[in-house]
PDB file of all heavy atoms in Angstrom:
ATOM      1  N   HIS A   1      17.818  49.228  10.863  1.00  0.00           N
ATOM      2  CA  HIS A   1      17.994  47.858  11.346  1.00  0.00           C
ATOM      3  C   HIS A   1      18.927  47.849  12.560  1.00  0.00           C
ATOM      4  O   HIS A   1      19.801  48.720  12.695  1.00  0.00           O
ATOM      5  CB  HIS A   1      18.567  46.972  10.251  1.00  0.00           C
ATOM      6  CG  HIS A   1      17.623  46.695   9.136  1.00  0.00           C
ATOM      7  ND1 HIS A   1      16.966  45.500   8.981  1.00  0.00           N
ATOM      8  CD2 HIS A   1      17.196  47.480   8.105  1.00  0.00           C
ATOM      9  CE1 HIS A   1      16.191  45.543   7.915  1.00  0.00           C
ATOM     10  NE2 HIS A   1      16.312  46.740   7.363  1.00  0.00           N
ATOM     11  N   ALA A   2      18.751  46.863  13.412  1.00  0.00           N
ATOM     12  CA  ALA A   2      19.636  46.734  14.572  1.00  0.00           C
ATOM     13  C   ALA A   2      21.093  46.643  14.142  1.00  0.00           C
ATOM     14  O   ALA A   2      21.979  47.190  14.805  1.00  0.00           O
ATOM     15  CB  ALA A   2      19.242  45.508  15.393  1.00  0.00           C
ATOM     16  N   ALA A   3      21.345  45.961  13.030  1.00  0.00           N
ATOM     17  CA  ALA A   3      22.722  45.818  12.549  1.00  0.00           C
ATOM     18  C   ALA A   3      23.318  47.145  12.097  1.00  0.00           C
ATOM     19  O   ALA A   3      24.539  47.283  11.993  1.00  0.00           O
ATOM     20  CB  ALA A   3      22.766  44.815  11.393  1.00  0.00           C
ATOM     21  N   ASP A   4      22.465  48.152  11.847  1.00  0.00           N
ATOM     22  CA  ASP A   4      22.962  49.469  11.447  1.00  0.00           C
ATOM     23  C   ASP A   4      23.518  50.248  12.629  1.00  0.00           C
ATOM     24  O   ASP A   4      24.360  51.135  12.442  1.00  0.00           O
ATOM     25  CB  ASP A   4      21.841  50.294  10.796  1.00  0.00           C
ATOM     26  CG  ASP A   4      21.319  49.686   9.506  1.00  0.00           C
ATOM     27  OD1 ASP A   4      22.111  49.008   8.823  1.00  0.00           O
ATOM     28  OD2 ASP A   4      20.130  49.892   9.181  1.00  0.00           O
ATOM     29  N   ILE A   5      23.045  49.946  13.820  1.00  0.00           N
ATOM     30  CA  ILE A   5      23.501  50.698  14.992  1.00  0.00           C
ATOM     31  C   ILE A   5      24.352  49.871  15.943  1.00  0.00           C
ATOM     32  O   ILE A   5      24.944  50.415  16.882  1.00  0.00           O
ATOM     33  CB  ILE A   5      22.296  51.277  15.777  1.00  0.00           C
ATOM     34  CG1 ILE A   5      21.387  50.154  16.294  1.00  0.00           C
ATOM     35  CG2 ILE A   5      21.512  52.253  14.933  1.00  0.00           C
ATOM     36  CD1 ILE A   5      20.327  50.629  17.279  1.00  0.00           C
ATOM     37  N   ALA A   6      24.412  48.563  15.730  1.00  0.00           N
ATOM     38  CA  ALA A   6      25.182  47.697  16.629  1.00  0.00           C
ATOM     39  C   ALA A   6      25.914  46.640  15.811  1.00  0.00           C
ATOM     40  O   ALA A   6      25.331  45.621  15.420  1.00  0.00           O
ATOM     41  CB  ALA A   6      24.264  47.036  17.651  1.00  0.00           C
ATOM     42  N   SER A   7      27.196  46.879  15.558  1.00  0.00           N
ATOM     43  CA  SER A   7      28.007  45.934  14.797  1.00  0.00           C
ATOM     44  C   SER A   7      29.461  46.072  15.236  1.00  0.00           C
ATOM     45  O   SER A   7      29.828  47.033  15.932  1.00  0.00           O
ATOM     46  CB  SER A   7      27.888  46.196  13.291  1.00  0.00           C
ATOM     47  OG  SER A   7      28.495  47.434  12.954  1.00  0.00           O
ATOM     48  N   VAL A   8      30.277  45.137  14.836  1.00  0.00           N
ATOM     49  CA  VAL A   8      31.694  45.190  15.223  1.00  0.00           C
ATOM     50  C   VAL A   8      32.472  46.150  14.338  1.00  0.00           C
ATOM     51  O   VAL A   8      33.599  46.524  14.655  1.00  0.00           O
ATOM     52  CB  VAL A   8      32.337  43.794  15.152  1.00  0.00           C
ATOM     53  CG1 VAL A   8      31.742  42.872  16.189  1.00  0.00           C
ATOM     54  CG2 VAL A   8      32.209  43.196  13.753  1.00  0.00           C
ATOM     55  N   GLN A   9      31.891  46.567  13.247  1.00  0.00           N
ATOM     56  CA  GLN A   9      32.568  47.508  12.373  1.00  0.00           C
ATOM     57  C   GLN A   9      32.463  48.923  12.940  1.00  0.00           C
ATOM     58  O   GLN A   9      31.508  49.263  13.622  1.00  0.00           O
ATOM     59  CB  GLN A   9      31.956  47.498  10.963  1.00  0.00           C
ATOM     60  CG  GLN A   9      32.171  46.212  10.186  1.00  0.00           C
ATOM     61  CD  GLN A   9      31.158  45.138  10.526  1.00  0.00           C
ATOM     62  OE1 GLN A   9      30.142  45.427  11.135  1.00  0.00           O
ATOM     63  NE2 GLN A   9      31.459  43.905  10.153  1.00  0.00           N
ATOM     64  N   GLY A  10      33.432  49.735  12.625  1.00  0.00           N
ATOM     65  CA  GLY A  10      33.322  51.156  12.931  1.00  0.00           C
ATOM     66  C   GLY A  10      33.820  51.549  14.298  1.00  0.00           C
ATOM     67  O   GLY A  10      35.025  51.523  14.576  1.00  0.00           O
ATOM     68  N   SER A  11      32.932  51.895  15.202  1.00  0.00           N
ATOM     69  CA  SER A  11      33.285  52.585  16.446  1.00  0.00           C
ATOM     70  C   SER A  11      34.042  51.727  17.453  1.00  0.00           C
ATOM     71  O   SER A  11      34.674  52.249  18.357  1.00  0.00           O
ATOM     72  CB  SER A  11      32.011  53.101  17.120  1.00  0.00           C
ATOM     73  OG  SER A  11      31.189  52.022  17.519  1.00  0.00           O
ATOM     74  N   GLY A  12      33.960  50.413  17.336  1.00  0.00           N
ATOM     75  CA  GLY A  12      34.600  49.548  18.321  1.00  0.00           C
ATOM     76  C   GLY A  12      33.819  49.420  19.614  1.00  0.00           C
ATOM     77  O   GLY A  12      34.330  48.906  20.612  1.00  0.00           O
ATOM     78  N   LYS A  13      32.555  49.861  19.609  1.00  0.00           N
ATOM     79  CA  LYS A  13      31.736  49.781  20.817  1.00  0.00           C
ATOM     80  C   LYS A  13      31.161  48.389  21.050  1.00  0.00           C
ATOM     81  O   LYS A  13      30.618  48.116  22.109  1.00  0.00           O
ATOM     82  CB  LYS A  13      30.581  50.787  20.737  1.00  0.00           C
ATOM     83  CG  LYS A  13      31.024  52.235  20.818  1.00  0.00           C
ATOM     84  CD  LYS A  13      29.805  53.157  20.822  1.00  0.00           C
ATOM     85  CE  LYS A  13      30.223  54.601  20.984  1.00  0.00           C
ATOM     86  NZ  LYS A  13      29.045  55.512  21.011  1.00  0.00           N
ATOM     87  N   TYR A  14      31.269  47.508  20.047  1.00  0.00           N
ATOM     88  CA  TYR A  14      30.655  46.181  20.159  1.00  0.00           C
ATOM     89  C   TYR A  14      31.687  45.084  19.929  1.00  0.00           C
ATOM     90  O   TYR A  14      32.702  45.288  19.246  1.00  0.00           O
ATOM     91  CB  TYR A  14      29.503  46.042  19.161  1.00  0.00           C
ATOM     92  CG  TYR A  14      28.280  46.833  19.561  1.00  0.00           C
ATOM     93  CD1 TYR A  14      28.164  48.187  19.250  1.00  0.00           C
ATOM     94  CD2 TYR A  14      27.258  46.234  20.294  1.00  0.00           C
ATOM     95  CE1 TYR A  14      27.056  48.922  19.652  1.00  0.00           C
ATOM     96  CE2 TYR A  14      26.147  46.964  20.689  1.00  0.00           C
ATOM     97  CZ  TYR A  14      26.047  48.299  20.366  1.00  0.00           C
ATOM     98  OH  TYR A  14      24.961  49.017  20.772  1.00  0.00           O
ATOM     99  N   LYS A  15      31.419  43.923  20.501  1.00  0.00           N
ATOM    100  CA  LYS A  15      32.259  42.743  20.310  1.00  0.00           C
ATOM    101  C   LYS A  15      31.354  41.535  20.085  1.00  0.00           C
ATOM    102  O   LYS A  15      30.148  41.593  20.324  1.00  0.00           O
ATOM    103  CB  LYS A  15      33.150  42.516  21.528  1.00  0.00           C
ATOM    104  CG  LYS A  15      32.366  42.334  22.818  1.00  0.00           C
ATOM    105  CD  LYS A  15      33.300  42.229  24.027  1.00  0.00           C
ATOM    106  CE  LYS A  15      32.492  42.082  25.320  1.00  0.00           C
ATOM    107  NZ  LYS A  15      33.380  41.991  26.506  1.00  0.00           N
ATOM    108  N   ARG A  16      31.945  40.455  19.647  1.00  0.00           N
ATOM    109  CA  ARG A  16      31.177  39.233  19.397  1.00  0.00           C
ATOM    110  C   ARG A  16      30.426  38.809  20.659  1.00  0.00           C
ATOM    111  O   ARG A  16      30.959  38.863  21.761  1.00  0.00           O
ATOM    112  CB  ARG A  16      32.093  38.087  18.989  1.00  0.00           C
ATOM    113  CG  ARG A  16      32.712  38.198  17.610  1.00  0.00           C
ATOM    114  CD  ARG A  16      33.608  36.971  17.358  1.00  0.00           C
ATOM    115  NE  ARG A  16      32.822  35.741  17.478  1.00  0.00           N
ATOM    116  CZ  ARG A  16      32.338  35.053  16.457  1.00  0.00           C
ATOM    117  NH1 ARG A  16      32.573  35.471  15.230  1.00  0.00           N
ATOM    118  NH2 ARG A  16      31.641  33.959  16.652  1.00  0.00           N
ATOM    119  N   ALA A  17      29.187  38.360  20.473  1.00  0.00           N
ATOM    120  CA  ALA A  17      28.415  37.865  21.612  1.00  0.00           C
ATOM    121  C   ALA A  17      28.854  36.470  22.017  1.00  0.00           C
ATOM    122  O   ALA A  17      28.798  36.098  23.186  1.00  0.00           O
ATOM    123  CB  ALA A  17      26.931  37.864  21.276  1.00  0.00           C
ATOM    124  N   PHE A  18      29.285  35.698  21.037  1.00  0.00           N
ATOM    125  CA  PHE A  18      29.690  34.317  21.295  1.00  0.00           C
ATOM    126  C   PHE A  18      31.166  34.158  20.959  1.00  0.00           C
ATOM    127  O   PHE A  18      31.688  34.847  20.077  1.00  0.00           O
ATOM    128  CB  PHE A  18      28.862  33.347  20.454  1.00  0.00           C
ATOM    129  CG  PHE A  18      27.385  33.423  20.727  1.00  0.00           C
ATOM    130  CD1 PHE A  18      26.566  34.266  19.994  1.00  0.00           C
ATOM    131  CD2 PHE A  18      26.817  32.646  21.730  1.00  0.00           C
ATOM    132  CE1 PHE A  18      25.207  34.339  20.246  1.00  0.00           C
ATOM    133  CE2 PHE A  18      25.458  32.716  21.992  1.00  0.00           C
ATOM    134  CZ  PHE A  18      24.648  33.558  21.255  1.00  0.00           C
ATOM    135  N   GLU A  19      31.817  33.271  21.656  1.00  0.00           N
ATOM    136  CA  GLU A  19      33.239  33.050  21.415  1.00  0.00           C
ATOM    137  C   GLU A  19      33.475  32.540  20.005  1.00  0.00           C
ATOM    138  O   GLU A  19      32.643  31.837  19.435  1.00  0.00           O
ATOM    139  CB  GLU A  19      33.799  32.048  22.425  1.00  0.00           C
ATOM    140  CG  GLU A  19      33.844  32.594  23.856  1.00  0.00           C
ATOM    141  CD  GLU A  19      34.461  31.604  24.824  1.00  0.00           C
ATOM    142  OE1 GLU A  19      34.837  30.499  24.363  1.00  0.00           O
ATOM    143  OE2 GLU A  19      34.564  31.937  26.007  1.00  0.00           O
ATOM    144  N   GLY A  20      34.614  32.901  19.463  1.00  0.00           N
ATOM    145  CA  GLY A  20      34.956  32.466  18.119  1.00  0.00           C
ATOM    146  C   GLY A  20      35.804  33.517  17.436  1.00  0.00           C
ATOM    147  O   GLY A  20      36.098  34.571  17.984  1.00  0.00           O
ATOM    148  N   SER A  21      36.185  33.220  16.236  1.00  0.00           N
ATOM    149  CA  SER A  21      37.010  34.143  15.464  1.00  0.00           C
ATOM    150  C   SER A  21      36.237  34.572  14.219  1.00  0.00           C
ATOM    151  O   SER A  21      35.234  33.956  13.836  1.00  0.00           O
ATOM    152  CB  SER A  21      38.333  33.472  15.053  1.00  0.00           C
ATOM    153  OG  SER A  21      38.072  32.297  14.305  1.00  0.00           O
ATOM    154  N   GLY A  22      36.720  35.618  13.611  1.00  0.00           N
ATOM    155  CA  GLY A  22      36.069  36.116  12.412  1.00  0.00           C
ATOM    156  C   GLY A  22      34.872  36.992  12.739  1.00  0.00           C
ATOM    157  O   GLY A  22      34.617  37.343  13.889  1.00  0.00           O
ATOM    158  N   ALA A  23      34.135  37.328  11.704  1.00  0.00           N
ATOM    159  CA  ALA A  23      32.981  38.220  11.876  1.00  0.00           C
ATOM    160  C   ALA A  23      31.862  37.505  12.628  1.00  0.00           C
ATOM    161  O   ALA A  23      31.668  36.296  12.453  1.00  0.00           O
ATOM    162  CB  ALA A  23      32.476  38.681  10.513  1.00  0.00           C
ATOM    163  N   PRO A  24      31.128  38.220  13.459  1.00  0.00           N
ATOM    164  CA  PRO A  24      30.000  37.603  14.157  1.00  0.00           C
ATOM    165  C   PRO A  24      28.895  37.259  13.174  1.00  0.00           C
ATOM    166  O   PRO A  24      28.803  37.836  12.085  1.00  0.00           O
ATOM    167  CB  PRO A  24      29.553  38.696  15.133  1.00  0.00           C
ATOM    168  CG  PRO A  24      30.001  39.969  14.506  1.00  0.00           C
ATOM    169  CD  PRO A  24      31.281  39.647  13.791  1.00  0.00           C
ATOM    170  N   ALA A  25      28.069  36.311  13.549  1.00  0.00           N
ATOM    171  CA  ALA A  25      26.952  35.931  12.682  1.00  0.00           C
ATOM    172  C   ALA A  25      25.968  37.086  12.552  1.00  0.00           C
ATOM    173  O   ALA A  25      25.814  37.896  13.461  1.00  0.00           O
ATOM    174  CB  ALA A  25      26.249  34.704  13.264  1.00  0.00           C
ATOM    175  N   GLU A  26      25.318  37.155  11.400  1.00  0.00           N
ATOM    176  CA  GLU A  26      24.243  38.124  11.199  1.00  0.00           C
ATOM    177  C   GLU A  26      22.979  37.339  10.874  1.00  0.00           C
ATOM    178  O   GLU A  26      23.001  36.446  10.032  1.00  0.00           O
ATOM    179  CB  GLU A  26      24.572  39.099  10.074  1.00  0.00           C
ATOM    180  CG  GLU A  26      23.518  40.173   9.901  1.00  0.00           C
ATOM    181  CD  GLU A  26      23.944  41.310   8.988  1.00  0.00           C
ATOM    182  OE1 GLU A  26      24.942  41.997   9.303  1.00  0.00           O
ATOM    183  OE2 GLU A  26      23.276  41.504   7.944  1.00  0.00           O
ATOM    184  N   ILE A  27      21.910  37.665  11.552  1.00  0.00           N
ATOM    185  CA  ILE A  27      20.646  36.959  11.346  1.00  0.00           C
ATOM    186  C   ILE A  27      19.578  37.942  10.879  1.00  0.00           C
ATOM    187  O   ILE A  27      19.740  39.151  11.006  1.00  0.00           O
ATOM    188  CB  ILE A  27      20.161  36.250  12.624  1.00  0.00           C
ATOM    189  CG1 ILE A  27      19.796  37.287  13.692  1.00  0.00           C
ATOM    190  CG2 ILE A  27      21.201  35.263  13.138  1.00  0.00           C
ATOM    191  CD1 ILE A  27      19.013  36.717  14.854  1.00  0.00           C
ATOM    192  N   VAL A  28      18.498  37.395  10.359  1.00  0.00           N
ATOM    193  CA  VAL A  28      17.308  38.188  10.046  1.00  0.00           C
ATOM    194  C   VAL A  28      16.197  37.675  10.943  1.00  0.00           C
ATOM    195  O   VAL A  28      15.927  36.471  10.989  1.00  0.00           O
ATOM    196  CB  VAL A  28      16.913  38.069   8.561  1.00  0.00           C
ATOM    197  CG1 VAL A  28      15.585  38.776   8.314  1.00  0.00           C
ATOM    198  CG2 VAL A  28      18.008  38.647   7.670  1.00  0.00           C
ATOM    199  N   LEU A  29      15.563  38.578  11.670  1.00  0.00           N
ATOM    200  CA  LEU A  29      14.491  38.216  12.590  1.00  0.00           C
ATOM    201  C   LEU A  29      13.149  38.587  11.971  1.00  0.00           C
ATOM    202  O   LEU A  29      12.922  39.734  11.583  1.00  0.00           O
ATOM    203  CB  LEU A  29      14.671  38.957  13.917  1.00  0.00           C
ATOM    204  CG  LEU A  29      13.714  38.576  15.048  1.00  0.00           C
ATOM    205  CD1 LEU A  29      13.983  37.145  15.519  1.00  0.00           C
ATOM    206  CD2 LEU A  29      13.843  39.547  16.223  1.00  0.00           C
ATOM    207  N   GLN A  30      12.254  37.595  11.881  1.00  0.00           N
ATOM    208  CA  GLN A  30      10.948  37.830  11.288  1.00  0.00           C
ATOM    209  C   GLN A  30       9.981  38.413  12.317  1.00  0.00           C
ATOM    210  O   GLN A  30       9.962  38.001  13.477  1.00  0.00           O
ATOM    211  CB  GLN A  30      10.370  36.522  10.733  1.00  0.00           C
ATOM    212  CG  GLN A  30       9.054  36.684  10.007  1.00  0.00           C
ATOM    213  CD  GLN A  30       9.150  37.602   8.797  1.00  0.00           C
ATOM    214  OE1 GLN A  30      10.131  37.547   8.054  1.00  0.00           O
ATOM    215  NE2 GLN A  30       8.159  38.452   8.602  1.00  0.00           N
ATOM    216  N   TYR A  31       9.180  39.371  11.870  1.00  0.00           N
ATOM    217  CA  TYR A  31       8.143  39.961  12.717  1.00  0.00           C
ATOM    218  C   TYR A  31       6.786  39.439  12.260  1.00  0.00           C
ATOM    219  O   TYR A  31       6.662  38.843  11.183  1.00  0.00           O
ATOM    220  CB  TYR A  31       8.200  41.495  12.642  1.00  0.00           C
ATOM    221  CG  TYR A  31       9.344  42.097  13.428  1.00  0.00           C
ATOM    222  CD1 TYR A  31      10.665  41.987  12.977  1.00  0.00           C
ATOM    223  CD2 TYR A  31       9.105  42.748  14.628  1.00  0.00           C
ATOM    224  CE1 TYR A  31      11.715  42.530  13.707  1.00  0.00           C
ATOM    225  CE2 TYR A  31      10.142  43.296  15.362  1.00  0.00           C
ATOM    226  CZ  TYR A  31      11.445  43.185  14.903  1.00  0.00           C
ATOM    227  OH  TYR A  31      12.482  43.716  15.633  1.00  0.00           O
ATOM    228  N   PRO A  32       5.735  39.658  13.049  1.00  0.00           N
ATOM    229  CA  PRO A  32       4.416  39.080  12.730  1.00  0.00           C
ATOM    230  C   PRO A  32       3.675  39.846  11.629  1.00  0.00           C
ATOM    231  O   PRO A  32       2.617  40.432  11.831  1.00  0.00           O
ATOM    232  CB  PRO A  32       3.675  39.164  14.064  1.00  0.00           C
ATOM    233  CG  PRO A  32       4.289  40.334  14.751  1.00  0.00           C
ATOM    234  CD  PRO A  32       5.727  40.306  14.378  1.00  0.00           C
ATOM    235  N   SER A  33       4.248  39.827  10.434  1.00  0.00           N
ATOM    236  CA  SER A  33       3.653  40.449   9.257  1.00  0.00           C
ATOM    237  C   SER A  33       4.306  39.814   8.033  1.00  0.00           C
ATOM    238  O   SER A  33       5.219  38.995   8.164  1.00  0.00           O
ATOM    239  CB  SER A  33       3.890  41.962   9.260  1.00  0.00           C
ATOM    240  OG  SER A  33       5.275  42.258   9.140  1.00  0.00           O
ATOM    241  N   THR A  34       3.856  40.204   6.850  1.00  0.00           N
ATOM    242  CA  THR A  34       4.466  39.647   5.634  1.00  0.00           C
ATOM    243  C   THR A  34       5.713  40.415   5.223  1.00  0.00           C
ATOM    244  O   THR A  34       6.391  40.031   4.268  1.00  0.00           O
ATOM    245  CB  THR A  34       3.466  39.703   4.458  1.00  0.00           C
ATOM    246  OG1 THR A  34       3.106  41.061   4.206  1.00  0.00           O
ATOM    247  CG2 THR A  34       2.220  38.877   4.757  1.00  0.00           C
ATOM    248  N   LEU A  35       6.045  41.483   5.930  1.00  0.00           N
ATOM    249  CA  LEU A  35       7.175  42.325   5.555  1.00  0.00           C
ATOM    250  C   LEU A  35       8.498  41.661   5.906  1.00  0.00           C
ATOM    251  O   LEU A  35       8.573  40.843   6.825  1.00  0.00           O
ATOM    252  CB  LEU A  35       7.053  43.675   6.261  1.00  0.00           C
ATOM    253  CG  LEU A  35       5.764  44.430   5.923  1.00  0.00           C
ATOM    254  CD1 LEU A  35       5.566  45.607   6.850  1.00  0.00           C
ATOM    255  CD2 LEU A  35       5.785  44.900   4.474  1.00  0.00           C
ATOM    256  N   LYS A  36       9.528  42.026   5.177  1.00  0.00           N
ATOM    257  CA  LYS A  36      10.838  41.439   5.423  1.00  0.00           C
ATOM    258  C   LYS A  36      11.319  41.804   6.817  1.00  0.00           C
ATOM    259  O   LYS A  36      11.049  42.886   7.324  1.00  0.00           O
ATOM    260  CB  LYS A  36      11.831  41.930   4.371  1.00  0.00           C
ATOM    261  CG  LYS A  36      11.564  41.352   2.978  1.00  0.00           C
ATOM    262  CD  LYS A  36      12.646  41.751   1.993  1.00  0.00           C
ATOM    263  CE  LYS A  36      12.386  41.116   0.635  1.00  0.00           C
ATOM    264  NZ  LYS A  36      13.401  41.500  -0.366  1.00  0.00           N
ATOM    265  N   GLY A  37      12.064  40.889   7.423  1.00  0.00           N
ATOM    266  CA  GLY A  37      12.481  41.047   8.809  1.00  0.00           C
ATOM    267  C   GLY A  37      13.630  42.006   9.006  1.00  0.00           C
ATOM    268  O   GLY A  37      14.075  42.693   8.079  1.00  0.00           O
TER     269      GLY A  37
END
C-alpha cells in the first residue's frame, strides 16, 4: 500500500500534506474492481 512506503512514521522523509497538528489523515482509495482499495 502507498501508506506502507510513504508515512510520517519512521524515516522522517515525509511530512503532512496539509497544515494542521497531529497525525495526517489516512484514506482508502477505491479502484475499478470489487477488491478492497
